[in-house]
Amino acid sequence: MRGLDAYLRDRGWATWNWTWPSRHMPVAEAALAVRDRLVADLGPAALQGPVCAVTHSLGGIVALHLAQHMPLERLVMLAPPVRGSRVARAFADWRLFQWFYGPAGNEVATAPPGWHPPGTIGSIGVVAGTAALHWGNPVSWATRALGVLPAELARSPLRE
């Protein structure tokens, strides 16, 4: 997200980028932590908006919860597990997974109830890719090797 932060700043957007301790708290608690840190860094006026958010993975789910505490004008989610995560479901009972991903890992194993919690979000965009292998993502290799994401899911109509 640092690269995206720099890209947006270079184009005149005011940005705020913070990585919360996602492995140590449930999603709803993470949303409150993000809100509190936003207020600590930018002041209470930050909660009045307009706020636009770009998130990755679990951050999208956190932002959906954050909308209960502050209005989001726009939300762009990159690869969010809004329909649940097949990978999280496959590994939810593994102690290593539980240790590494904490309570939020198990929360995203299944789709959240309702598409998102009540809150104000002006518009939402979702950017999702394929289940293809990627050299920079070791999880993609492990999930393929263990058969969690079969090779046929990696085929994209855009590639063929």
Side-chain angles (χ1 to χ4, degrees):
M1 297 304 283
R2 286 186 189 134
L4 180 57
D5 184 316
Y7 179 87
L8 293 171
R9 279 182 195 262
D10 289 346
R11 280 147 187 82
W13 289 87
T15 64
W16 177 80
N17 188 2
W18 182 61
T19 300
W20 71 94
S22 60
R23 296 180 179 140
H24 305 288
M25 59 183 65
V27 172
E29 189 178 323
L32 291 173
V34 170
R35 181 204 60 194
D36 293 349
R37 181 64 182 258
L38 185 64
V39 169
D41 289 353
L42 303 177
L47 297 180
Q48 305 309 311
V51 173
C52 301
V54 180
T55 65
H56 176 256
S57 191
L58 180 60
I61 306 303
V62 170
L64 293 173
H65 283 263
L66 182 62
Q68 295 179 83
H69 308 289
M70 61 182 294
L72 296 178
E73 182 177 329
R74 294 185 183 114
L75 172 60
V76 176
M77 299 184 291
L78 308 174
V82 294
R83 295 175 65 191
S85 167
R86 178 182 271 185
V87 173
R89 279 192 303 277
F91 297 123
D93 293 332
W94 292 31
R95 285 187 180 196
L96 181 61
F97 176 86
Q98 293 166 1
W99 170 79
F100 191 78
Y101 289 102
N106 283 331
E107 284 185 76
V108 298
T110 57
W115 197 75
H116 65 79
T120 303
I121 303 174
S123 61
I124 298 174
V126 176
V127 179
T130 68
L133 296 173
H134 186 274
W135 66 269
N137 182 356
V139 172
S140 73
W141 291 90
T143 56
R144 179 64 53 76
L146 295 170
V148 174
L149 296 175
E152 58 270 10
L153 289 178
R155 292 191 187 97
S156 166
L158 300 175
R159 290 191 195 166
E160 297 173 354

